[in-house]
Amino acid sequence: MAGLTDNDKEQLVEQILLEKYNNYYRLAYSYVHNEADAGDIVQNGAYKAILHSDSLKQKAYAATWIYRIMLNEIFRFLKSNPGVKEVFTPPEEMTGKAAGKEDIYQDVDLMRALDALPQEVRTVIVLRYFEDLTLEQIANVQEENVNTVKSRLYRGLKKMRLELSC
């Protein structure tokens, strides 16, 4: 980034991490359904983001760069703990911190429909509708073409409609 020192990049990353901590936590929680694991994932992701902040290339993409780091941490955790996805936490057991964004994560049927989706499709839906990222930002996070993201979103929504109508 032209004009920004490594220290400036680190401060930018720290600022974004503080501003969006709840978003990253909700994202992790939506995959692992466990507060402690979600907190660990976010802490590991934050550590890696700060540690590698000097590799940040464009200030405008800092937030999506951090989302990518968080998703990598989530997928790394799921890969090393394959039984985690089978655990579902009912909404009444979620704390306010885990429930977060206006009860959207508390809809049991919605969470089960999301859990039924393949990981790459689920990620697109979560980032688009739960975290309010644009399709372009999601494409940047996933390092995919925007048309691929649109296709995954369409297929995922179609499958979720079928799942929810049953």
Side-chain angles (χ1 to χ4, degrees), residues 1 17 25-26 58 111 118 123 134 144 166:
M1 283 188 290
L17 285 166
Y25 180 85
R26 282 193 316 265
Q58 294 182 18
M111 292 308 292
T123 300
T134 66
E144 296 281 353
C166 294

Side-chain angles (χ1 to χ4, degrees), residues 4-21:
L4 287 181
T5 66
D6 287 348
N7 190 43
D8 293 337
K9 292 177 186 180
E10 185 176 323
Q11 287 178 353
L12 174 65
V13 168
E14 287 175 4
Q15 176 187 351
I16 292 169
L17 285 166
L18 289 172
E19 289 172 3
K20 295 189 173 280
Y21 177 85

Side-chain angles (χ1 to χ4, degrees), residues 24-153:
Y24 301 135
Y25 180 85
R26 282 193 316 265
L27 180 65
Y29 189 88
S30 75
Y31 279 89
V32 299
H33 307 295
N34 179 290
E35 290 181 27
D37 292 339
D40 289 346
I41 289 167
V42 174
Q43 290 302 313
N44 290 338
Y47 171 75
K48 289 182 180 178
I50 292 169
L51 184 66
H52 299 292
S53 61
D54 60 329
S55 68
L56 184 61
K57 296 195 182 349
Q58 294 182 18
K59 181 179 180 178
Y61 296 115
T64 55
W65 179 76
I66 296 171
Y67 266 111
R68 186 175 327 135
I69 291 170
M70 293 298 172
L71 284 169
N72 288 340
E73 284 302 306
I74 291 166
F75 299 149
R76 187 175 293 114
F77 179 86
L78 290 173
K79 189 174 182 178
S80 64
N81 299 284
V84 167
K85 242 181 127 89
E86 297 169 17
V87 178
F88 183 81
T89 305
E92 59 272 7
E93 293 179 22
M94 292 183 191
T95 65
K97 188 163 98 171
K101 197 172 182 175
E102 299 174 32
D103 298 329
I104 233 174
Y105 281 90
Q106 290 192 24
D107 187 327
V108 175
D109 293 332
L110 180 63
M111 292 308 292
R112 286 193 178 132
L114 274 171
D115 286 344
L117 297 174
Q119 195 173 64
E120 69 275 356
V121 174
R122 178 181 182 197
T123 300
V124 170
I125 290 174
V126 168
L127 291 176
R128 178 68 185 109
Y129 293 106
F130 291 63
E131 302 303 328
D132 298 324
L133 269 63
T134 66
L135 295 176
E136 292 77 18
Q137 289 172 319
I138 296 167
N140 187 9
V141 167
Q142 292 195 305
E143 298 178 324
E144 296 281 353
N145 184 299
V146 174
N147 289 331
T148 302
V149 171
K150 288 179 183 178
S151 174
R152 287 179 181 164
L153 182 63

